[in-house]
Amino acid sequence: MQISFWHLCSIMVLHVVNEVLTCSLSCTCKWKNGKRTAECSNKTLTAIPETIDPDTQVLDFSDNNLGELTKELFVKKQLVNLQRLYLSKCRINTVHTDTFKGLTNLVEMDLSSNFLESVPTLAFSNCPSLMKLTLSSNPIKDVKRLAFNHLSYLNTLELSGCEIADIEEGAFQGLHSLEWLHLSSNKLKTIHSPQTLPKTLKGIELQKNFWTCDCHIQEFRDWLSSFQVTLSHDPECHAPLRLKNNLVKNIPKEELACLPEVQPTTLYLELTEGKNVSLLCHIHAVPEAAVSWWFDGQLLQNNTSIAPGMRLIYFIEEGSENKKSELFISNANVEDNGTYVCHAENAAGSAQSNFTIKIVLKEEPIVIIVSFPIEYLMFAVIGVAVILILVLFIVIACLIRCHKKKKRQLKRNQTKEVSLHLQQNQNGTNTEKTWGKRNT
């Protein structure tokens, strides 16, 4: 009996010694809630100790300084039997794709309060049995499509206290078992496609976001109204100011308005007096905006006459949420100079487009009339007359001279002909005398 007692004591001592030897001096290893647990939190450790028992099922390594989770980290530490892993406040900024390789039994993981800027989607593919995932208080800006696609058994997802401003359509696709979703204290203004939220949800936290109650939140508002489970805190409008602190689901649909967008914002036109012009204004607004035209601070009506001979045919409208309004001005004149305003307004507020018109006057032909004193005119006439007389005298003198020259030339020619005739007669007489002598 005594030997058995000492034998039992020896076994107990050896067991305790074995527990101590197989656990790091920085950690506390014990059985807790029926699980072999290693508690290493708040020890300023930069790496997971090598001496932790491979049979450890729960590892609490929170509030240390890991920085980076390297490739096959838990395979190398022989900790593939982990079922729960707590790594909050470990300054983690990078998670390798194969960090969690081998952790097929892991059902709970806490990565909250680290420096992760995105969801490490591919790393979670090594944890197919995960049922609870905590990523709260990380600077995650958005949730991409299929971010958790490998976690079909995930029941609880905590994303509170991040900086999430956008959730893409299909972000939660593949989460067939998700029942609890925590999205409070983020920067969400709306969820563009509420169908992205799993239909299996039993509870969701959405409070303390920047919900903007305008036309972009209508689908989300309808989803909230149809959600069957009572929320612990219903989301409230953060903007616009007129709806601030009102419950999103209680806002009437017509109040969920977006400020009208008007094109063009400004336009400058120059046209000639008497011409016709049309001003075209494009308006996009949800809900539909009421459109009016103004000139010099006065509201214009259809068939408005502002000045004699000028008529405004105002205005022709087409469409509803996408609308165009056209103002016609016929026979424009200088009194139409100024700015015409296309004004669009709905519950969200108003916007306007300014059309500035400048009328250019018609230019009349320029006739220059030069007047001279009568004395100058008389002197001019006399001068012209004198010049004409001189020219006439010169012409007559030239004609007389030419006539005399022609007459002298004719006389010379006659004289030459007479002389030539006389000479020919004398030559003939001499010839006859010579022939007479020869015959004798």
Side-chain angles (χ1 to χ4, degrees):
M1 187 73 179
Q2 188 175 5
I3 296 174
S4 299
F5 173 77
W6 286 109
H7 181 69
L8 182 60
C9 288
S10 298
I11 292 174
M12 292 178 66
V13 169
L14 288 173
H15 178 73
V16 171
V17 170
N18 182 62
E19 289 286 335
V20 172
L21 292 176
T22 57
C23 191
S24 170
L25 294 176
S26 301
C27 303
T28 301
C29 297
K30 58 185 178 181
W31 286 88
K32 186 176 180 180
N33 298 326
K35 305 288 185 182
R36 186 183 292 273
T37 303
E39 295 182 346
C40 310
S41 61
N42 198 19
K43 303 294 184 181
T44 65
L45 299 175
T46 57
I48 297 175
E50 301 284 347
T51 56
I52 296 179
D53 191 336
D55 292 329
T56 299
Q57 297 167 295
V58 179
L59 174 59
D60 184 358
F61 202 77
S62 57
D63 206 6
N64 282 292
N65 192 15
L66 283 177
E68 180 181 0
L69 298 184
T70 57
K71 183 178 180 180
E72 299 182 3
L73 174 61
F74 298 96
V75 171
K76 294 175 181 178
K77 301 293 183 180
Q78 299 182 15
L79 295 174
V80 294
N81 292 311
L82 288 175
Q83 296 179 12
R84 290 181 170 83
L85 177 61
Y86 303 104
L87 297 174
S88 65
K89 300 180 182 178
C90 285
R91 301 178 182 272
I92 298 169
N93 52 48
T94 305
V95 179
H96 191 275
T97 302
D98 293 324
T99 291
F100 305 122
K101 189 173 183 179
L103 299 184
T104 55
N105 295 324
L106 195 69
V107 296
E108 182 179 353
M109 183 189 301
D110 185 356
L111 288 169
S112 62
S113 301
N114 281 294
F115 301 142
L116 299 176
E117 295 184 356
S118 61
V119 177
T121 302
L122 295 178
F124 294 145
S125 63
N126 294 297
C127 312
S129 301
L130 207 59
M131 297 180 68
K132 183 177 180 180
L133 175 61
T134 304
L135 291 169
S136 300
S137 301
N138 277 285
I140 298 172
K141 302 292 190 298
D142 52 23
V143 183
K144 301 294 186 183
R145 185 173 180 271
L146 303 176
F148 308 98
N149 189 42
H150 308 289
L151 306 178
S152 58
Y153 294 103
L154 195 68
N155 176 270
T156 302
L157 176 59
E158 296 189 9
L159 290 167
S160 298
C162 298
E163 299 176 11
I164 299 172
D166 182 49
I167 297 176
E168 292 186 3
E169 185 174 356
F172 303 116
Q173 187 173 325
L175 297 179
H176 306 302
S177 304
L178 192 67
E179 296 182 354
W180 308 98
L181 178 59
H182 301 266
L183 288 168
S184 60
S185 301
N186 278 289
K187 295 183 178 180
L188 291 169
K189 294 183 178 180
T190 186
I191 296 179
H192 296 288
S193 181
Q195 290 76 18
T196 293
L197 299 172
K199 296 180 180 180
T200 54
L201 284 178
K202 292 182 179 179
I204 184 170
E205 289 187 4
L206 297 165
Q207 68 272 19
K208 296 183 180 179
N209 276 282
F210 297 159
W211 302 115
T212 301
C213 293
D214 59 13
C215 62
H216 302 299
I217 208 172
Q218 287 187 5
E219 286 189 48
F220 180 58
R221 175 255 187 198
D222 294 340
W223 182 87
L224 286 172
S225 299
S226 62
F227 192 57
Q228 300 299 321
V229 179
T230 303
L231 303 178
S232 58
H233 294 87
D234 283 307
E236 299 178 351
C237 297
H238 182 266
L241 188 61
R242 62 189 175 85
L243 299 175
K244 189 176 178 65
N245 298 328
N246 285 280
L247 298 183
V248 175
K249 68 179 183 181
N250 291 341
I251 304 297
K253 190 172 183 178
E254 58 272 15
E255 289 293 320
L256 298 176
C258 287
L259 193 68
E261 297 176 7
V262 182
Q263 294 292 334
T265 53
T266 58
L267 186 66
Y268 178 80
L269 293 174
E270 283 190 7
L271 65 151
T272 308
E273 184 182 18
K275 296 290 185 179
N276 300 331
V277 64
S278 67
L279 308 178
L280 183 59
C281 184
H282 293 274
I283 306 102
H284 172 72
V286 179
E288 179 183 356
V291 179
S292 58
W293 286 87
W294 297 74
F295 177 69
D296 282 347
Q298 294 184 349
L299 177 65
L300 299 179
Q301 303 293 339
N302 277 335
N303 299 322
T304 301
S305 294
I306 290 185
M310 191 276 287
R311 184 185 179 196
L312 298 179
I313 305 175
Y314 147 80
F315 48 81
I316 299 174
E317 278 191 12
E318 293 180 8
S320 55
E321 292 183 357
N322 289 300
K323 179 184 291 187
K324 70 175 183 179
S325 178
E326 191 167 12
L327 175 69
F328 294 91
I329 304 175
S330 61
N331 192 26
N333 57 47
V334 290
E335 294 189 15
D336 301 323
N337 279 327
T339 299
Y340 294 80
V341 178
C342 172
H343 183 87
E345 185 172 2
N346 65 7
S350 62
Q352 65 183 34
S353 177
N354 297 324
F355 298 84
T356 300
I357 293 179
K358 181 180 179 181
I359 307 300
V360 179
L361 296 177
K362 294 180 180 178
E363 294 185 1
E364 299 293 337
I366 299 175
V367 179
I368 300 175
I369 300 175
V370 180
S371 61
F372 294 96
I374 188 65
E375 294 84 359
Y376 290 169
L377 184 60
M378 291 179 63
F379 284 129
V381 170
I382 294 171
V384 171
V386 170
I387 293 172
L388 290 175
I389 293 172
L390 289 175
V391 170
L392 182 61
F393 278 127
I394 293 171
V395 171
I396 293 172
C398 291
L399 291 174
I400 293 172
R401 184 178 178 183
C402 290
H403 179 71
K404 288 181 178 182
K405 186 177 180 180
K406 187 176 181 181
K407 189 174 181 181
R408 283 195 298 270
Q409 185 65 35
L410 181 61
K411 190 174 182 179
R412 286 193 196 99
N413 292 337
Q414 290 176 348
T415 304
K416 285 182 181 180
E417 289 178 358
V418 170
S419 299
L420 181 61
H421 183 68
L422 290 176
Q423 186 177 359
Q424 288 178 348
N425 290 334
Q426 186 177 359
N427 289 337
T429 304
N430 293 333
T431 304
E432 290 179 357
K433 288 179 176 182
T434 303
W435 281 106
K437 289 179 178 182
R438 287 180 181 179
N439 292 327
T440 304

